[in-house]
Amino acid sequence: MQEDAIDRIVHQWNRERPQLDVSATHVLQRISRIFLLQAASFATVFDRYGITFGEFELLAALLRSGPPYQMSPTRLVDAVVLSSGAMTNRIDRVEALGLVERLPDPGDRRGTLVALTRAGQQTVDAAVVEHLANEEHLLGALSSAQRETLSRLLRTLLLSDAFAAHDAARTGDDGVRTTRRRRGNDGLKKVRVARVG
C-alpha cells in the first residue's frame, strides 16, 4: 500500500517517541488533511459563482426550505449551524451580491425574513449541480460499499460524546470554546474565546 504524508508523520513519532501511542493520528490527521483539501476543491467550484462555500450553504438552506424560499435568521442559524453574529455577516454579504433580500416578517412586526432573489435561486441551482459533481469526483477512489462503511463510521464519531461536547448544534452553544492566556496590566488573565463558523 502506498504511504501518504500521515504515515510519515506517524513513523517519525514512532522513531523519536516510541513510548507514545499515536495510533489515533492515523485517523484524525487524515480527516484534518482531507478537510483542507476538500475546502480548497470546494473554493475552486464556488469561486466561479462569486460566492464562498459558506455562502452557498446559506443559499442552499433557503432553497431546500421550499417555496417561497424564505426563512427567519433564527431558522437559518439552526439550518447552517452558525452563531447569530456570523449568520448576520453572511446574510449581509449575499444581500450585497443581490442573491437574497430582507423582507418584513408578517408574523412578527419586529422580525425580518431572508428570501432568495431570482438571481440567488439561479446561482444556487447552477452551483449545486457542479458542487455535487465535484463531491462525486473527490470520492471517486471509493466504491459504493466503501463509501457506505466510511459514512457509517464517520457518523458514529460525530454522534459520540467526545465530539458532541464540541458541537454547537447539539450543545446550544455558539461554537467551540477554547481558553488562552493574555497579559494585561494586572498580569496573566484567562480569556474565553469562541470560535464560530
Side-chain angles (χ1 to χ4, degrees):
M1 180 178 297
Q2 183 179 358
E3 287 195 346
D4 63 9
I6 309 307
D7 289 317
R8 292 190 290 273
I9 290 172
V10 170
H11 291 331
Q12 289 165 355
W13 277 120
N14 286 337
R15 183 189 67 230
E16 298 300 324
R17 294 291 187 274
Q19 74 277 17
L20 296 178
D21 179 6
V22 293
S23 57
T25 298
H26 279 292
V27 176
L28 296 178
Q29 285 292 332
R30 284 190 174 93
I31 291 174
S32 297
R33 180 67 175 155
I34 285 173
F35 167 74
L36 293 173
L37 297 174
Q38 169 193 287
S41 179
F42 284 8
T44 299
V45 170
F46 294 112
D47 279 350
R48 289 194 275 272
Y49 298 90
I51 58 176
T52 66
F53 174 58
E55 291 159 359
F56 166 79
E57 286 188 304
L58 186 157
L59 299 175
L62 289 170
L63 184 66
R64 293 195 309 269
S65 72
Y69 308 120
Q70 58 189 30
M71 299 170 70
S72 69
T74 299
R75 284 184 60 207
L76 273 172
V77 165
D78 293 337
V80 182
V81 192
L82 277 178
S83 71
S84 57
M87 176 56 72
T88 297
N89 292 337
R90 194 170 291 183
I91 293 171
D92 288 344
R93 291 196 300 268
V94 290
E95 184 179 34
L97 293 171
L99 304 179
V100 303
E101 58 183 345
R102 285 180 168 96
L103 303 173
D105 185 346
D108 182 353
R109 287 186 301 174
R110 295 179 297 177
T112 60
L113 295 173
V114 180
L116 271 180
T117 62
R118 182 177 296 275
Q121 187 171 341
Q122 291 172 343
T123 296
V124 72
D125 273 332
V128 71
V129 173
E130 190 171 350
H131 173 53
L132 292 174
N134 184 52
E135 287 190 321
E136 184 67 30
H137 171 71
L138 290 174
L139 293 182
L142 300 179
S143 68
S144 295
Q146 287 172 324
R147 293 185 195 190
E148 266 188 49
T149 299
L150 179 60
S151 178
R152 185 173 64 253
L153 293 173
L154 290 173
R155 183 187 299 111
T156 298
L157 270 182
L158 282 173
L159 295 177
S160 68
D161 290 342
F163 281 91
H166 304 287
D167 189 346
R170 296 177 63 188
T171 62
D173 198 359
D174 279 347
V176 177
R177 295 190 177 273
T178 60
T179 301
R180 70 183 182 196
R181 294 179 180 270
R182 74 177 180 194
R183 187 174 297 278
N185 292 335
D186 55 349
L188 289 174
K189 297 180 179 179
K190 285 188 177 180
V191 181
R192 300 284 283 178
V193 180
R195 296 207 311 263
V196 295

